[in-house]
């Protein structure tokens, strides 16, 4: 598989007994040839805050991209977050990618409520927040958007790279596809069918060119839940347990919404290859294993079936 390969750090607190081992997980992924390591964000359930996690990974890794999958900016003060992201960008010497989202209906309303942010106009707020970050990183002192407006901004920490870290969008609704092509640097969805991925990517590229951007302005990526096992039935039971723990929903429901695959190495590799053929150039794997030790085992298995030679970094 010639696509870039990433892995999501274990998210559920049952998956790590010592949070410091999560940094070891990221280092191990880099040594196995993974191209990126990602941290997840939510206020539902205990977990290590993603920007703190990436800041911890920055000095102990050298090559891998460090990303959020996804960050929910509505839960944070936008000016402060711009400084935090610029700081991680500096600590990692420009290896940060920020994938953002607006949350999930039926799940995220409580997160918005405790963050004292209205659920309404959340997509406009998200786009404004990203535009504000870019303005702050560029040294601008005012910002006026549709939802956020500031007549006077403080001098803020500039980003490591001119223009700031790449900002990707997670989502595959028609409006998300249009906004991705028009405003964002990358696309990280999880459609359960590679054909839907191909159709979505076509729409993103059309939106990009309609906005006067190059068709390839948006990096095409995929978020997929993976478990390598020779026991297919047992693997699906593990996926079911994972979905119920993570979402409170059965696997049969989640699989209609998200890309998920459990099975022998050949089956997993073939599934990922179909998404690559549909245009995905960066695959971010979430490992559906219940413990950190099991995740580490899977980390090696996935590297073995997707890298030209396990332990050797692929080209960027």
């Amino acid at each position: 598989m010639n696509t870039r390969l990433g892995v999501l750090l274990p998210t559920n607190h049952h998956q790590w007994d010592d949070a410091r081992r999560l940094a070891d997980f990221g280092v191990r992924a880099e040594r196995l040839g993974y191209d990126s390591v990602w941290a997840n964000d939510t206020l539902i359930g205990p977990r290590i805050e993603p920007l703190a996690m990436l800041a911890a990974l920055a000095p102990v890794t050298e090559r891998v991209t460090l990303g959020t999958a996804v960050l929910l900016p509505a839960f944070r003060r936008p000016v402060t977050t711009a400084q935090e992201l610029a700081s991680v960008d500096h600590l990692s010497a420009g290896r940060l990618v920020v994938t953002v989202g607006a949350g999930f209906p039926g799940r995220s309303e409580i997160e918005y409520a405790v963050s004292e942010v209205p659920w309404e106009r959340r997509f406009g707020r998200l786009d404004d927040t990203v535009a504000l970050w870019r303005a702050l990183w560029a040294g601008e002192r005012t910002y006026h958007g549709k939802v956020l407006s500031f007549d006077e901004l403080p001098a803020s920490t500039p980003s490591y790279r001119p223009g700031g870290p790449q900002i990707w969008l997670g989502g595959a609704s028609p409006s998300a596809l249009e906004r991705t092509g028009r405003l964002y640097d990358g696309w990280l969805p999880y459609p359960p069918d590679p054909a839907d991925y191909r159709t979505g990517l076509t729409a993103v590229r059309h939106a990009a060119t309609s906005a006067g951007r190059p068709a390839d302005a948006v990096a095409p990526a995929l978020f997929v839940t993976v478990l390598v096992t020779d026991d297919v039935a047992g693997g699906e039971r593990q996926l079911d347990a994972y979905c119920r723990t993570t979402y409170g929903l059965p696997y049969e429901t989640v699989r209609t919404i998200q890309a998920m695959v459990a099975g022998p190495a050949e089956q997993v590799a073939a599934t990922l290859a179909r998404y690559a053929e549909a245009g995905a150039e960066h695959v971010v794997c979430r490992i559906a294993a219940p413990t950190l030790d099991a995740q580490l085992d899977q980390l090696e298995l996935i590297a073995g079936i997707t890298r030209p030679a396990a332990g050797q970094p692929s080209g960027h």
Side-chain angles (χ1 to χ4, degrees), residues 247-261:
Y247 300 110
L249 295 170
Y251 166 59
E252 289 301 323
T253 298
V254 179
R255 71 185 298 184
T256 66
I257 303 169
Q258 298 186 6
M260 309 186 84
V261 56

Side-chain angles (χ1 to χ4, degrees), residues 134 166-168 180-187 201 204-209 211-220 281:
R134 289 170 169 161
Q166 286 198 352
I167 311 292
W168 296 5
T180 300
R182 181 166 49 89
L183 300 171
Y184 290 85
D185 303 307
W187 182 47
L201 181 56
V204 167
R205 288 174 170 166
H206 176 74
T209 56
R213 305 176 72 196
D216 62 356
V218 179
E281 296 178 3

Side-chain angles (χ1 to χ4, degrees), residues 121-298:
R121 303 184 72 186
R122 60 191 180 278
F123 300 114
R125 180 180 296 275
L126 176 63
D127 293 343
D128 266 13
T129 298
V130 170
L132 172 63
W133 291 346
R134 289 170 169 161
L136 286 163
W137 295 332
E140 297 177 19
R141 302 301 291 270
T142 63
Y143 175 79
H144 297 285
K146 295 180 179 179
V147 178
L148 301 178
S149 184
F150 298 91
D151 291 328
E152 184 176 354
L153 289 167
S156 186
T157 304
S159 55
Y160 180 85
R161 291 164 288 178
Q166 286 198 352
I167 311 292
W168 296 5
L169 185 65
S173 67
S175 64
L177 299 175
E178 189 277 331
R179 289 163 49 241
T180 300
R182 181 166 49 89
L183 300 171
Y184 290 85
D185 303 307
W187 182 47
L188 184 61
Y190 45 59
D193 188 334
D196 292 335
Y197 187 93
R198 187 187 302 274
T199 300
L201 181 56
T202 298
V204 167
R205 288 174 170 166
H206 176 74
T209 56
S210 296
R213 305 176 72 196
D216 62 356
V218 179
L222 171 75
F223 185 90
V224 55
T225 301
V226 173
L227 186 70
V228 180
T229 175
D230 290 331
D231 181 358
V232 176
E236 294 198 345
R237 286 194 297 272
Q238 287 191 62
L239 282 183
D240 184 69
Y242 187 85
C243 291
R244 292 178 187 274
T245 298
T246 304
Y247 300 110
L249 295 170
Y251 166 59
E252 289 301 323
T253 298
V254 179
R255 71 185 298 184
T256 66
I257 303 169
Q258 298 186 6
M260 309 186 84
V261 56
E266 297 79 7
Q267 178 184 341
V268 172
T271 298
L272 299 184
R274 284 194 290 272
Y275 281 99
E277 291 166 2
E281 296 178 3
H282 198 142
V283 174
V284 178
C285 296
R286 178 175 62 174
I287 300 173
T291 67
L292 186 55
D293 287 338
Q295 292 249 347
L296 286 165
D297 290 341
Q298 288 285 314

